[in-house]
Amino acid sequence: MRNVVYRLTLLAACAITQQVHADDTALVKAAQANVPEFLQLLSIPNVADNAADIQNNAAFIEKALQKRGFKTQLLQNPANRPLVFAQLDAPDAGRRTVLFYIHFDGQPVIPERWSQASPFMPVVKQRDAMGAWAEVPASRLQALPFDPELRVFARSASDDKAPIMMLLTAIDLLKAEGAAPQLNIKLILDSEEEIGSPSLAGVVASNRPLFAADALVILDGPAHASGRPTLVFGNRGIVQATLVVYGPKVALHSGHYANYVPNPAMRLSRLLASMKDDDGRVLVAGYYDGIDLTASDRALLAASGDDELALRKRLGIAKAESVGDTYQTAMQYPSLNVRGLASAAVGGKAANIVPSEATAELDLRTTPEADGRTLFALLKRHIERQGYFLTDGPPSDQARAVHDKLASITMGAVEKSVRMPVDAPVGQWAYRAVQAAATGGDTPVRIRMVGGTVPTATLVDALDLPFVIVSTVNADNNQHTHDENLRMGHFISGTRTIRSLLTTSYP
């Protein structure tokens, strides 16, 4: 019975998200021709802390672009992690220019958590009769009829190498059709997005004439869970922070000193607990100030049509936090997240000690109404109100002698939030394009502001361009964690969407 229920569920899902149709024959052919190139690109490690790996990615991408007729340049930065710039002019003079942004670096990996030999050895999988992922030969990607439910598992399969190959496949498809872009295409491929794009602003400033354009399109992020074409008109920013609570000068024997020396791990736990209530709302004074959603804002958020029950089921939670009454509403508010905790050790390395310190890594997602530096200042004040004396690092003997509660908090990378009106000309153009590419009468989803962070603000501030984010990969892609994957049906639909953007004249 379980197998029957699973198969019926899968058939129902495919009815919504099939995304491969009879008129996609040429598209499928172009995609299948590029599958080996895609798998090659995924096999090149791309974590930004290895400059040589980033250089290898840049060289591969530059060669792939040149093969399609792009003029390219490697734009250097101080860390020797080159960005790739490319340009392809429309055959008709007088066309408008659109700058496309994609990144090719990826999040760090913990190989042992992946269900394959290496995150950089891409594998192809399908669900078995019980719904588990089972590896199949990569040759299945070349079979006909094309199976949209096959998935490629590898780091950056979705975030964000897939859009690179979608764009290249769209160019190949146009060439095969004897058609041409109706835009002058400029392309910037970022090598440092996953570490906050620290050199992007400087590279743009040093090469300002290269980036002259009429609009900016960000190709990043997951499409709506329904599979409908997805446009996003803003993204939250981010500020990172490291919070350390100090205990004794050195770790101490717990038998001799527990009950006498305060434990910094316990204190950190209580301090973090003071920052949010049981329903997930931030308790830091002033944190949500300025957020005032209008009736039209709420109507736009509701129009996304999210299936909240299905979303919670996919995420494996019984109840959502109560910052907003829906998922989309929650994304309009700043967040306070603990992204990691450390104190002493666990498992085989655990020792019976009172640790000397405890650390929490935080990321605060910001909105245009609540910038990162303001939120950091509010958080710092909250910590002081809990009785902590803040130091600039490990406390001095004098500070230890005077203050019972000692901590430090340092601010890391800051990326601004940015938002665009959905009825701006760039939004209207993108809506026409993605609707023209939609199949089965699908209406594009318009998202007011996505929860994740991309360096939109860096480009908008430097170039003063109207923008839109076009999201093309499957929502359940496991980005930033182990077993990241791309559903091949989304590779087809994403290529179709990008092809339509390239062939829709910008106003």
Side-chain angles (χ1 to χ4, degrees):
M1 180 65 182
R2 181 179 173 186
N3 287 1
V4 172
V5 170
Y6 169 73
R7 287 175 180 139
L8 289 173
T9 303
L10 182 59
L11 288 172
C14 289
I16 299 173
T17 63
Q18 181 74 13
Q19 295 173 299
V20 179
H21 304 270
D23 60 350
D24 281 335
T25 301
L27 198 165
V28 168
K29 182 178 179 180
Q32 289 182 318
N34 285 346
V35 160
E37 192 173 19
F38 183 43
L39 299 182
Q40 279 183 281
L41 179 59
L42 293 177
S43 71
I44 307 174
N46 65 337
V47 180
D49 63 359
N50 189 315
D53 285 341
I54 294 299
Q55 291 162 18
N56 290 336
N57 278 272
F60 185 96
I61 292 166
E62 185 179 33
K63 184 176 179 180
L65 288 162
Q66 290 170 348
K67 188 169 71 172
R68 275 84 178 183
F70 281 84
K71 297 176 182 177
T72 66
Q73 294 185 47
L74 294 183
L75 305 180
Q76 301 297 332
N77 60 20
N80 294 317
R81 294 187 287 250
L83 290 75
V84 182
F85 178 84
Q87 183 168 350
L88 182 66
D89 290 337
D92 297 333
R95 295 291 185 183
R96 295 295 189 98
T97 299
V98 174
L99 173 65
F100 291 83
Y101 169 93
I102 316 175
H103 70 89
F104 62 87
D105 64 315
Q107 281 279 315
V109 296
I110 304 176
E112 59 269 24
R113 294 186 179 177
W114 286 68
S115 305
Q116 59 200 71
S118 165
F120 300 110
M121 294 175 60
V123 298
V124 181
K125 297 184 181 183
Q126 67 176 11
R127 289 193 186 275
D128 62 20
M130 302 303 292
W133 289 110
E135 187 172 344
V136 299
S139 59
R140 285 282 304 278
L141 295 173
Q142 302 294 341
L144 292 175
F146 184 80
D147 184 352
E149 299 306 324
L150 292 174
R151 299 201 185 193
V152 174
F153 284 73
R155 171 55 85 226
S156 298
S158 278
D159 184 22
D160 194 29
K161 287 183 175 179
I164 299 173
M165 291 309 303
M166 291 174 188
L167 187 146
L168 296 179
T169 303
I171 294 292
D172 291 343
L173 182 60
L174 290 176
K175 184 177 180 179
E177 295 170 339
Q182 299 302 301
L183 310 165
N184 296 316
I185 303 167
K186 291 186 176 181
L187 180 61
I188 180 65
L189 293 120
D190 194 354
S191 59
E192 300 177 322
E193 192 271 351
E194 298 293 6
I195 58 171
S197 299
S199 67
L200 181 59
V203 168
V204 172
S206 299
N207 300 274
R208 183 64 180 81
L210 283 180
F211 294 93
D214 297 293
L216 170 67
V217 173
I218 310 286
L219 295 177
D220 198 358
H224 192 262
S226 66
R228 292 155 59 197
T230 305
L231 299 175
V232 180
F233 293 88
N235 58 264
R236 290 195 293 189
I238 187 172
V239 58
Q240 297 169 344
T242 300
L243 171 62
V244 183
V245 170
Y246 298 100
K249 285 185 179 182
V250 296
L252 300 171
H253 189 296
S254 62
H256 297 323
Y257 293 102
N259 288 352
Y260 185 78
V261 174
N263 187 306
M266 295 292 291
R267 284 189 161 178
L268 176 62
S269 299
R270 287 193 290 270
L271 179 57
L272 293 173
S274 76
M275 297 175 185
K276 297 183 78 170
D277 66 18
D278 285 346
D279 291 319
R281 289 182 290 259
V282 177
L283 299 174
V284 176
Y287 209 79
Y288 298 139
D289 286 359
I291 309 295
D292 184 19
L293 298 175
T294 66
S296 60
D297 291 336
R298 292 185 179 279
L300 177 63
L301 298 174
S304 66
D306 289 331
D307 186 333
E308 298 281 338
L309 181 61
L311 178 59
R312 293 195 298 274
K313 182 177 180 180
R314 176 167 67 82
L315 299 177
I317 60 172
K319 180 177 180 289
E321 293 187 329
S322 302
V323 179
D325 54 354
T326 66
Y327 171 76
Q328 294 297 338
T329 306
M331 295 304 103
Q332 312 309 305
Y333 289 83
S335 67
L336 194 164
N337 178 60
V338 178
R339 68 175 191 167
L341 290 168
S343 186
V346 299
K349 295 183 178 181
N352 297 326
I353 60 169
V354 177
S356 60
E357 62 184 45
T359 302
E361 290 278 355
L362 309 176
D363 69 75
L364 320 179
R365 300 289 172 155
T366 70
T367 70
E369 298 82 8
D371 70 89
R373 288 176 174 80
T374 297
L375 294 183
F376 181 83
L378 293 175
L379 181 62
K380 188 175 180 179
R381 189 179 309 154
H382 175 86
I383 295 168
E384 290 174 329
R385 287 174 175 172
Q386 306 309 303
Y388 282 86
F389 178 79
L390 291 176
T391 66
D392 292 331
S396 65
D397 288 347
Q398 182 181 4
R400 288 178 178 278
V402 174
H403 302 284
D404 172 39
K405 293 182 176 181
L406 293 162
S408 65
I409 184 166
T410 55
M411 185 169 66
V414 179
E415 181 69 37
K416 284 174 54 180
S417 175
V418 65
R419 193 167 56 233
M420 195 80 194
V422 298
D423 58 355
V426 67
Q428 296 179 29
W429 163 74
Y431 190 91
R432 289 196 309 273
V434 299
Q435 178 140 51
T439 56
D442 283 343
T443 301
V445 180
R446 294 187 293 183
I447 305 295
R448 182 177 185 256
M449 189 165 64
V450 73
T453 303
V454 289
T456 316
T458 299
L459 293 168
V460 170
D461 286 350
L463 302 171
D464 193 25
L465 291 177
F467 76 92
V468 64
I469 302 170
V470 180
S471 300
T472 57
V473 302
N474 44 297
D476 57 345
N477 65 66
N478 290 349
Q479 67 186 85
H480 286 206
T481 186
H482 56 278
D483 295 343
E484 180 180 352
N485 64 84
L486 174 72
R487 177 181 175 272
M488 290 306 294
H490 281 75
F491 189 100
I492 299 299
S493 62
T495 300
R496 190 190 309 116
T497 293
I498 293 173
R499 179 196 178 281
S500 192
L501 287 169
L502 300 182
T503 54
T504 301
S505 295
Y506 188 78

